[in-house]
Amino acid sequence: WYQRRVRAIHLTDGLDQVFVKNYERDKFIYAQYFGSTSGLLRYFPAYYWGLPNNETDLYDCRFRSWYIEAAGQPRDVVFLMDTSGSMYGWALRVAKYTAKTLLQIVSDKDYLAFYTFNLTTQSLSCYPQLERARLKYINHLYEEIDKIDAIGASNFSIALNTAFDVLENSARNNKTCNCQRAIIIFSDT
């Protein structure tokens, strides 16, 4: 990790001159950013972050909304979390953590639906279709994820049928980004 970051720093040394030339051509440019695939951020004009007690800088631009939106196309995503009894304990904690991490990297151009499943499916939202990934909706999903418990058996067929129905109904009702589609399953099987 460290070697990749140092290499990215050296490979992008020439950007400083580009940033200066851009600023000289257009004084209305407030700031210029460059984010690499290794997480390196170059910022012009330079700014000292002032980390206390010589702490390690863990800033990673790949988790910032401007990077995510520039690096990828909008997505329609249906999340399916297995809540069968086998998910009880560590598996469910990992699944919840992973889901919350993925919710941090969606943009407001994405459309989402989040369902739990065991023998039936349960939406974490009151809507039967995809919803725009706005902050209020993401915060709601965070709260609902914390409430998830594991019990019973799992039925993947019902879960996948629900996901495909949600994608189809959302497209029919124009609740879609009309771009990439994904179904993400959190399970221990």
Side-chain angles (χ1 to χ4, degrees), residues 21-59:
K21 286 180 184 175
N22 288 342
Y23 182 72
E24 288 171 351
R25 274 187 278 188
D26 186 349
K27 298 289 187 196
F28 291 103
I29 293 177
Y30 173 73
Q32 298 173 67
Y33 302 89
F34 170 81
S36 77
T37 56
S38 68
L40 169 77
L41 173 69
R42 280 199 174 266
Y43 181 85
F44 181 86
Y47 178 79
Y48 176 69
W49 297 100
L51 295 172
N53 304 325
N54 293 325
E55 292 180 20
T56 304
D57 183 3
L58 298 177
Y59 183 88

mmCIF file of all heavy atoms in Angstrom, residues 21-59:
data_model
loop_
_atom_site.group_PDB
_atom_site.id
_atom_site.type_symbol
_atom_site.label_atom_id
_atom_site.label_comp_id
_atom_site.label_asym_id
_atom_site.label_seq_id
_atom_site.Cartn_x
_atom_site.Cartn_y
_atom_site.Cartn_z
ATOM 1 N N LYS A 21 -0.310 26.530 -14.196
ATOM 2 C CA LYS A 21 -0.661 27.082 -15.520
ATOM 3 C C LYS A 21 -2.166 27.290 -15.643
ATOM 4 O O LYS A 21 -2.619 28.305 -16.178
ATOM 5 C CB LYS A 21 -0.155 26.169 -16.632
ATOM 6 C CG LYS A 21 1.342 26.246 -16.843
ATOM 7 C CD LYS A 21 1.767 25.310 -17.957
ATOM 8 C CE LYS A 21 3.280 25.316 -18.085
ATOM 9 N NZ LYS A 21 3.751 24.336 -19.066
ATOM 10 N N ASN A 22 -2.942 26.333 -15.164
ATOM 11 C CA ASN A 22 -4.401 26.475 -15.203
ATOM 12 C C ASN A 22 -4.846 27.709 -14.427
ATOM 13 O O ASN A 22 -5.711 28.469 -14.873
ATOM 14 C CB ASN A 22 -5.083 25.239 -14.617
ATOM 15 C CG ASN A 22 -4.975 24.034 -15.511
ATOM 16 O OD1 ASN A 22 -4.686 24.137 -16.698
ATOM 17 N ND2 ASN A 22 -5.196 22.861 -14.931
ATOM 18 N N TYR A 23 -4.256 27.898 -13.256
ATOM 19 C CA TYR A 23 -4.611 29.041 -12.419
ATOM 20 C C TYR A 23 -4.214 30.351 -13.079
ATOM 21 O O TYR A 23 -4.960 31.329 -13.024
ATOM 22 C CB TYR A 23 -3.961 28.916 -11.037
ATOM 23 C CG TYR A 23 -4.338 30.049 -10.117
ATOM 24 C CD1 TYR A 23 -5.620 30.127 -9.579
ATOM 25 C CD2 TYR A 23 -3.434 31.061 -9.815
ATOM 26 C CE1 TYR A 23 -5.985 31.172 -8.757
ATOM 27 C CE2 TYR A 23 -3.792 32.118 -8.991
ATOM 28 C CZ TYR A 23 -5.063 32.159 -8.458
ATOM 29 O OH TYR A 23 -5.425 33.199 -7.645
ATOM 30 N N GLU A 24 -3.048 30.389 -13.724
ATOM 31 C CA GLU A 24 -2.606 31.605 -14.408
ATOM 32 C C GLU A 24 -3.525 31.955 -15.569
ATOM 33 O O GLU A 24 -3.746 33.122 -15.867
ATOM 34 C CB GLU A 24 -1.166 31.438 -14.897
ATOM 35 C CG GLU A 24 -0.154 31.452 -13.764
ATOM 36 C CD GLU A 24 1.254 31.068 -14.207
ATOM 37 O OE1 GLU A 24 1.435 30.624 -15.377
ATOM 38 O OE2 GLU A 24 2.172 31.198 -13.374
ATOM 39 N N ARG A 25 -4.075 30.945 -16.243
ATOM 40 C CA ARG A 25 -4.994 31.171 -17.360
ATOM 41 C C ARG A 25 -6.379 31.605 -16.898
ATOM 42 O O ARG A 25 -7.064 32.342 -17.597
ATOM 43 C CB ARG A 25 -5.140 29.906 -18.196
ATOM 44 C CG ARG A 25 -4.073 29.777 -19.252
ATOM 45 C CD ARG A 25 -4.381 28.617 -20.123
ATOM 46 N NE ARG A 25 -3.871 27.459 -19.392
ATOM 47 C CZ ARG A 25 -3.797 26.247 -19.853
ATOM 48 N NH1 ARG A 25 -4.239 25.973 -21.036
ATOM 49 N NH2 ARG A 25 -3.300 25.280 -19.136
ATOM 50 N N ASP A 26 -6.807 31.130 -15.751
ATOM 51 C CA ASP A 26 -8.157 31.419 -15.266
ATOM 52 C C ASP A 26 -8.112 31.645 -13.757
ATOM 53 O O ASP A 26 -8.120 30.704 -12.973
ATOM 54 C CB ASP A 26 -9.097 30.257 -15.600
ATOM 55 C CG ASP A 26 -10.546 30.548 -15.267
ATOM 56 O OD1 ASP A 26 -10.832 31.553 -14.582
ATOM 57 O OD2 ASP A 26 -11.405 29.749 -15.681
ATOM 58 N N LYS A 27 -8.099 32.893 -13.341
ATOM 59 C CA LYS A 27 -7.997 33.246 -11.916
ATOM 60 C C LYS A 27 -9.253 32.884 -11.124
ATOM 61 O O LYS A 27 -9.259 32.965 -9.904
ATOM 62 C CB LYS A 27 -7.717 34.750 -11.753
ATOM 63 C CG LYS A 27 -6.412 35.201 -12.373
ATOM 64 C CD LYS A 27 -5.244 34.692 -11.581
ATOM 65 C CE LYS A 27 -3.967 35.307 -12.135
ATOM 66 N NZ LYS A 27 -2.784 34.666 -11.722
ATOM 67 N N PHE A 28 -10.335 32.506 -11.818
ATOM 68 C CA PHE A 28 -11.563 32.139 -11.130
ATOM 69 C C PHE A 28 -11.577 30.676 -10.688
ATOM 70 O O PHE A 28 -12.513 30.222 -10.057
ATOM 71 C CB PHE A 28 -12.782 32.437 -11.999
ATOM 72 C CG PHE A 28 -13.010 33.904 -12.183
ATOM 73 C CD1 PHE A 28 -12.657 34.532 -13.367
ATOM 74 C CD2 PHE A 28 -13.545 34.668 -11.155
ATOM 75 C CE1 PHE A 28 -12.844 35.891 -13.529
ATOM 76 C CE2 PHE A 28 -13.736 36.025 -11.311
ATOM 77 C CZ PHE A 28 -13.383 36.644 -12.503
ATOM 78 N N ILE A 29 -10.535 29.933 -11.060
ATOM 79 C CA ILE A 29 -10.426 28.559 -10.586
ATOM 80 C C ILE A 29 -10.076 28.615 -9.110
ATOM 81 O O ILE A 29 -9.017 29.106 -8.727
ATOM 82 C CB ILE A 29 -9.358 27.763 -11.364
ATOM 83 C CG1 ILE A 29 -9.790 27.580 -12.810
ATOM 84 C CG2 ILE A 29 -9.120 26.409 -10.697
ATOM 85 C CD1 ILE A 29 -8.751 26.858 -13.657
ATOM 86 N N TYR A 30 -10.963 28.123 -8.282
ATOM 87 C CA TYR A 30 -10.743 28.173 -6.838
ATOM 88 C C TYR A 30 -9.802 27.068 -6.383
ATOM 89 O O TYR A 30 -8.885 27.294 -5.614
ATOM 90 C CB TYR A 30 -12.074 28.068 -6.091
ATOM 91 C CG TYR A 30 -11.914 27.940 -4.596
ATOM 92 C CD1 TYR A 30 -11.524 29.039 -3.833
ATOM 93 C CD2 TYR A 30 -12.113 26.739 -3.948
ATOM 94 C CE1 TYR A 30 -11.347 28.930 -2.468
ATOM 95 C CE2 TYR A 30 -11.945 26.622 -2.590
ATOM 96 C CZ TYR A 30 -11.559 27.725 -1.853
ATOM 97 O OH TYR A 30 -11.382 27.619 -0.500
ATOM 98 N N ALA A 31 -10.062 25.851 -6.851
ATOM 99 C CA ALA A 31 -9.250 24.718 -6.428
ATOM 100 C C ALA A 31 -9.227 23.674 -7.536
ATOM 101 O O ALA A 31 -10.153 23.585 -8.338
ATOM 102 C CB ALA A 31 -9.807 24.095 -5.155
ATOM 103 N N GLN A 32 -8.149 22.896 -7.559
ATOM 104 C CA GLN A 32 -8.008 21.800 -8.510
ATOM 105 C C GLN A 32 -7.639 20.549 -7.729
ATOM 106 O O GLN A 32 -6.845 20.608 -6.799
ATOM 107 C CB GLN A 32 -6.912 22.121 -9.528
ATOM 108 C CG GLN A 32 -7.218 23.360 -10.361
ATOM 109 C CD GLN A 32 -6.047 23.743 -11.239
ATOM 110 O OE1 GLN A 32 -5.702 23.026 -12.157
ATOM 111 N NE2 GLN A 32 -5.444 24.887 -10.933
ATOM 112 N N TYR A 33 -8.251 19.442 -8.125
ATOM 113 C CA TYR A 33 -8.036 18.177 -7.435
ATOM 114 C C TYR A 33 -7.581 17.118 -8.433
ATOM 115 O O TYR A 33 -7.988 17.130 -9.587
ATOM 116 C CB TYR A 33 -9.337 17.643 -6.818
ATOM 117 C CG TYR A 33 -10.006 18.549 -5.852
ATOM 118 C CD1 TYR A 33 -10.938 19.481 -6.269
ATOM 119 C CD2 TYR A 33 -9.738 18.455 -4.493
ATOM 120 C CE1 TYR A 33 -11.584 20.309 -5.371
ATOM 121 C CE2 TYR A 33 -10.386 19.275 -3.579
ATOM 122 C CZ TYR A 33 -11.298 20.191 -4.030
ATOM 123 O OH TYR A 33 -11.937 20.997 -3.133
ATOM 124 N N PHE A 34 -6.806 16.186 -7.951
ATOM 125 C CA PHE A 34 -6.496 14.975 -8.691
ATOM 126 C C PHE A 34 -6.579 13.823 -7.714
ATOM 127 O O PHE A 34 -5.923 13.823 -6.673
ATOM 128 C CB PHE A 34 -5.085 15.017 -9.302
ATOM 129 C CG PHE A 34 -4.651 13.694 -9.860
ATOM 130 C CD1 PHE A 34 -5.073 13.282 -11.101
ATOM 131 C CD2 PHE A 34 -3.846 12.838 -9.108
ATOM 132 C CE1 PHE A 34 -4.693 12.049 -11.614
ATOM 133 C CE2 PHE A 34 -3.460 11.599 -9.606
ATOM 134 C CZ PHE A 34 -3.881 11.209 -10.865
ATOM 135 N N GLY A 35 -7.410 12.837 -8.029
ATOM 136 C CA GLY A 35 -7.523 11.649 -7.186
ATOM 137 C C GLY A 35 -7.077 10.436 -7.969
ATOM 138 O O GLY A 35 -7.538 10.201 -9.079
ATOM 139 N N SER A 36 -6.149 9.667 -7.412
ATOM 140 C CA SER A 36 -5.630 8.489 -8.106
ATOM 141 C C SER A 36 -6.376 7.239 -7.671
ATOM 142 O O SER A 36 -7.068 7.218 -6.652
ATOM 143 C CB SER A 36 -4.135 8.320 -7.821
ATOM 144 O OG SER A 36 -3.942 7.779 -6.530
ATOM 145 N N THR A 37 -6.193 6.167 -8.434
ATOM 146 C CA THR A 37 -6.822 4.899 -8.100
ATOM 147 C C THR A 37 -6.205 4.257 -6.868
ATOM 148 O O THR A 37 -6.743 3.295 -6.332
ATOM 149 C CB THR A 37 -6.731 3.904 -9.278
ATOM 150 O OG1 THR A 37 -5.357 3.746 -9.625
ATOM 151 C CG2 THR A 37 -7.524 4.410 -10.474
ATOM 152 N N SER A 38 -5.083 4.791 -6.393
ATOM 153 C CA SER A 38 -4.490 4.283 -5.148
ATOM 154 C C SER A 38 -4.992 5.070 -3.934
ATOM 155 O O SER A 38 -4.619 4.781 -2.808
ATOM 156 C CB SER A 38 -2.963 4.358 -5.203
ATOM 157 O OG SER A 38 -2.530 5.705 -5.196
ATOM 158 N N GLY A 39 -5.820 6.088 -4.170
ATOM 159 C CA GLY A 39 -6.370 6.878 -3.076
ATOM 160 C C GLY A 39 -5.646 8.185 -2.825
ATOM 161 O O GLY A 39 -6.046 8.972 -1.975
ATOM 162 N N LEU A 40 -4.575 8.437 -3.566
ATOM 163 C CA LEU A 40 -3.798 9.674 -3.411
ATOM 164 C C LEU A 40 -4.616 10.881 -3.859
ATOM 165 O O LEU A 40 -5.300 10.831 -4.875
ATOM 166 C CB LEU A 40 -2.518 9.597 -4.247
ATOM 167 C CG LEU A 40 -1.735 10.898 -4.387
ATOM 168 C CD1 LEU A 40 -0.968 11.175 -3.105
ATOM 169 C CD2 LEU A 40 -0.806 10.839 -5.566
ATOM 170 N N LEU A 41 -4.538 11.958 -3.112
ATOM 171 C CA LEU A 41 -5.191 13.209 -3.484
ATOM 172 C C LEU A 41 -4.139 14.295 -3.636
ATOM 173 O O LEU A 41 -3.310 14.502 -2.757
ATOM 174 C CB LEU A 41 -6.192 13.648 -2.408
ATOM 175 C CG LEU A 41 -6.801 15.035 -2.613
ATOM 176 C CD1 LEU A 41 -7.732 15.039 -3.822
ATOM 177 C CD2 LEU A 41 -7.529 15.493 -1.378
ATOM 178 N N ARG A 42 -4.174 14.948 -4.795
ATOM 179 C CA ARG A 42 -3.368 16.162 -4.983
ATOM 180 C C ARG A 42 -4.349 17.317 -5.028
ATOM 181 O O ARG A 42 -5.372 17.247 -5.697
ATOM 182 C CB ARG A 42 -2.551 16.107 -6.263
ATOM 183 C CG ARG A 42 -1.304 15.284 -6.121
ATOM 184 C CD ARG A 42 -0.326 15.638 -7.242
ATOM 185 N NE ARG A 42 0.929 14.968 -7.058
ATOM 186 C CZ ARG A 42 1.973 15.494 -6.435
ATOM 187 N NH1 ARG A 42 1.912 16.695 -5.928
ATOM 188 N NH2 ARG A 42 3.092 14.825 -6.332
ATOM 189 N N TYR A 43 -4.020 18.363 -4.315
ATOM 190 C CA TYR A 43 -4.928 19.498 -4.124
ATOM 191 C C TYR A 43 -4.148 20.775 -4.399
ATOM 192 O O TYR A 43 -3.033 20.937 -3.915
ATOM 193 C CB TYR A 43 -5.425 19.476 -2.675
ATOM 194 C CG TYR A 43 -6.391 20.569 -2.301
ATOM 195 C CD1 TYR A 43 -7.739 20.428 -2.546
ATOM 196 C CD2 TYR A 43 -5.944 21.726 -1.684
ATOM 197 C CE1 TYR A 43 -8.636 21.414 -2.182
ATOM 198 C CE2 TYR A 43 -6.835 22.719 -1.322
ATOM 199 C CZ TYR A 43 -8.178 22.564 -1.572
ATOM 200 O OH TYR A 43 -9.059 23.544 -1.213
ATOM 201 N N PHE A 44 -4.731 21.667 -5.216
ATOM 202 C CA PHE A 44 -4.097 22.949 -5.499
ATOM 203 C C PHE A 44 -5.110 24.051 -5.257
ATOM 204 O O PHE A 44 -6.225 23.962 -5.756
ATOM 205 C CB PHE A 44 -3.600 22.994 -6.949
ATOM 206 C CG PHE A 44 -2.922 24.292 -7.292
ATOM 207 C CD1 PHE A 44 -1.579 24.467 -7.039
ATOM 208 C CD2 PHE A 44 -3.641 25.344 -7.851
ATOM 209 C CE1 PHE A 44 -0.950 25.666 -7.345
ATOM 210 C CE2 PHE A 44 -3.031 26.540 -8.157
ATOM 211 C CZ PHE A 44 -1.679 26.700 -7.903
ATOM 212 N N PRO A 45 -4.773 25.096 -4.529
ATOM 213 C CA PRO A 45 -3.474 25.317 -3.910
ATOM 214 C C PRO A 45 -3.277 24.378 -2.721
ATOM 215 O O PRO A 45 -4.240 23.947 -2.086
ATOM 216 C CB PRO A 45 -3.524 26.769 -3.447
ATOM 217 C CG PRO A 45 -4.973 27.096 -3.328
ATOM 218 C CD PRO A 45 -5.694 26.211 -4.296
ATOM 219 N N ALA A 46 -2.031 24.059 -2.443
ATOM 220 C CA ALA A 46 -1.699 23.113 -1.388
ATOM 221 C C ALA A 46 -2.262 23.584 -0.050
ATOM 222 O O ALA A 46 -2.415 24.773 0.190
ATOM 223 C CB ALA A 46 -0.184 22.948 -1.286
ATOM 224 N N TYR A 47 -2.558 22.616 0.790
ATOM 225 C CA TYR A 47 -3.147 22.908 2.093
ATOM 226 C C TYR A 47 -2.552 21.948 3.108
ATOM 227 O O TYR A 47 -2.517 20.740 2.880
ATOM 228 C CB TYR A 47 -4.671 22.735 2.030
ATOM 229 C CG TYR A 47 -5.376 22.970 3.333
ATOM 230 C CD1 TYR A 47 -5.625 24.256 3.787
ATOM 231 C CD2 TYR A 47 -5.777 21.907 4.121
ATOM 232 C CE1 TYR A 47 -6.268 24.479 4.991
ATOM 233 C CE2 TYR A 47 -6.422 22.112 5.324
ATOM 234 C CZ TYR A 47 -6.659 23.404 5.755
ATOM 235 O OH TYR A 47 -7.289 23.607 6.949
ATOM 236 N N TYR A 48 -2.101 22.450 4.231
ATOM 237 C CA TYR A 48 -1.578 21.601 5.292
ATOM 238 C C TYR A 48 -2.741 21.126 6.154
ATOM 239 O O TYR A 48 -3.474 21.923 6.718
ATOM 240 C CB TYR A 48 -0.560 22.372 6.147
ATOM 241 C CG TYR A 48 -0.046 21.582 7.321
ATOM 242 C CD1 TYR A 48 0.776 20.474 7.122
ATOM 243 C CD2 TYR A 48 -0.410 21.900 8.620
ATOM 244 C CE1 TYR A 48 1.227 19.724 8.183
ATOM 245 C CE2 TYR A 48 0.041 21.155 9.698
ATOM 246 C CZ TYR A 48 0.863 20.062 9.469
ATOM 247 O OH TYR A 48 1.305 19.322 10.524
ATOM 248 N N TRP A 49 -2.912 19.814 6.225
ATOM 249 C CA TRP A 49 -4.035 19.236 6.939
ATOM 250 C C TRP A 49 -3.870 19.320 8.447
ATOM 251 O O TRP A 49 -4.848 19.265 9.178
ATOM 252 C CB TRP A 49 -4.236 17.771 6.531
ATOM 253 C CG TRP A 49 -4.580 17.621 5.093
ATOM 254 C CD1 TRP A 49 -3.731 17.274 4.086
ATOM 255 C CD2 TRP A 49 -5.838 17.883 4.472
ATOM 256 N NE1 TRP A 49 -4.392 17.274 2.884
ATOM 257 C CE2 TRP A 49 -5.694 17.645 3.089
ATOM 258 C CE3 TRP A 49 -7.082 18.278 4.941
ATOM 259 C CZ2 TRP A 49 -6.729 17.789 2.190
ATOM 260 C CZ3 TRP A 49 -8.109 18.419 4.039
ATOM 261 C CH2 TRP A 49 -7.923 18.185 2.683
ATOM 262 N N GLY A 50 -2.646 19.427 8.929
ATOM 263 C CA GLY A 50 -2.404 19.603 10.361
ATOM 264 C C GLY A 50 -2.874 18.452 11.215
ATOM 265 O O GLY A 50 -3.674 18.636 12.122
ATOM 266 N N LEU A 51 -2.375 17.262 10.953
ATOM 267 C CA LEU A 51 -2.759 16.105 11.756
ATOM 268 C C LEU A 51 -2.117 16.188 13.135
ATOM 269 O O LEU A 51 -0.921 16.392 13.259
ATOM 270 C CB LEU A 51 -2.318 14.812 11.063
ATOM 271 C CG LEU A 51 -3.004 14.534 9.732
ATOM 272 C CD1 LEU A 51 -2.348 13.349 9.054
ATOM 273 C CD2 LEU A 51 -4.469 14.278 9.935
ATOM 274 N N PRO A 52 -2.890 16.012 14.189
ATOM 275 C CA PRO A 52 -2.345 16.100 15.553
ATOM 276 C C PRO A 52 -1.468 14.898 15.896
ATOM 277 O O PRO A 52 -1.699 13.789 15.410
ATOM 278 C CB PRO A 52 -3.598 16.141 16.431
ATOM 279 C CG PRO A 52 -4.660 15.492 15.618
ATOM 280 C CD PRO A 52 -4.314 15.754 14.171
ATOM 281 N N ASN A 53 -0.467 15.121 16.710
ATOM 282 C CA ASN A 53 0.384 14.061 17.265
ATOM 283 C C ASN A 53 1.011 13.151 16.212
ATOM 284 O O ASN A 53 1.134 11.946 16.411
ATOM 285 C CB ASN A 53 -0.406 13.202 18.257
ATOM 286 C CG ASN A 53 -1.019 14.023 19.357
ATOM 287 O OD1 ASN A 53 -0.436 15.010 19.798
ATOM 288 N ND2 ASN A 53 -2.198 13.637 19.791
ATOM 289 N N ASN A 54 1.344 13.706 15.068
ATOM 290 C CA ASN A 54 1.977 12.935 13.984
ATOM 291 C C ASN A 54 1.182 11.692 13.586
ATOM 292 O O ASN A 54 1.739 10.640 13.288
ATOM 293 C CB ASN A 54 3.406 12.537 14.369
ATOM 294 C CG ASN A 54 4.306 13.741 14.465
ATOM 295 O OD1 ASN A 54 4.139 14.701 13.698
ATOM 296 N ND2 ASN A 54 5.243 13.720 15.387
ATOM 297 N N GLU A 55 -0.137 11.795 13.613
ATOM 298 C CA GLU A 55 -0.976 10.673 13.221
ATOM 299 C C GLU A 55 -0.820 10.392 11.738
ATOM 300 O O GLU A 55 -0.503 11.270 10.953
ATOM 301 C CB GLU A 55 -2.448 10.979 13.527
ATOM 302 C CG GLU A 55 -2.763 11.043 14.998
ATOM 303 C CD GLU A 55 -4.233 11.352 15.250
ATOM 304 O OE1 GLU A 55 -5.046 11.152 14.341
ATOM 305 O OE2 GLU A 55 -4.540 11.793 16.356
ATOM 306 N N THR A 56 -1.072 9.155 11.357
ATOM 307 C CA THR A 56 -1.007 8.759 9.961
ATOM 308 C C THR A 56 -2.211 9.330 9.222
ATOM 309 O O THR A 56 -3.339 9.276 9.701
ATOM 310 C CB THR A 56 -1.017 7.221 9.840
ATOM 311 O OG1 THR A 56 0.065 6.706 10.604
ATOM 312 C CG2 THR A 56 -0.894 6.783 8.404
ATOM 313 N N ASP A 57 -1.967 9.862 8.025
ATOM 314 C CA ASP A 57 -3.036 10.412 7.208
ATOM 315 C C ASP A 57 -3.765 9.267 6.509
ATOM 316 O O ASP A 57 -3.209 8.608 5.637
ATOM 317 C CB ASP A 57 -2.457 11.379 6.173
ATOM 318 C CG ASP A 57 -3.521 12.042 5.322
ATOM 319 O OD1 ASP A 57 -4.716 11.797 5.556
ATOM 320 O OD2 ASP A 57 -3.149 12.809 4.427
ATOM 321 N N LEU A 58 -4.998 9.012 6.900
ATOM 322 C CA LEU A 58 -5.775 7.922 6.329
ATOM 323 C C LEU A 58 -6.800 8.401 5.309
ATOM 324 O O LEU A 58 -7.678 7.645 4.908
ATOM 325 C CB LEU A 58 -6.488 7.149 7.449
ATOM 326 C CG LEU A 58 -5.562 6.477 8.463
ATOM 327 C CD1 LEU A 58 -6.386 5.814 9.559
ATOM 328 C CD2 LEU A 58 -4.648 5.486 7.794
ATOM 329 N N TYR A 59 -6.690 9.655 4.883
ATOM 330 C CA TYR A 59 -7.627 10.196 3.897
ATOM 331 C C TYR A 59 -7.500 9.406 2.598
ATOM 332 O O TYR A 59 -6.405 9.193 2.090
ATOM 333 C CB TYR A 59 -7.332 11.676 3.648
ATOM 334 C CG TYR A 59 -8.309 12.322 2.697
ATOM 335 C CD1 TYR A 59 -9.479 12.883 3.174
ATOM 336 C CD2 TYR A 59 -8.074 12.360 1.337
ATOM 337 C CE1 TYR A 59 -10.392 13.468 2.320
ATOM 338 C CE2 TYR A 59 -8.964 12.941 0.468
ATOM 339 C CZ TYR A 59 -10.124 13.498 0.966
ATOM 340 O OH TYR A 59 -11.019 14.072 0.121
#
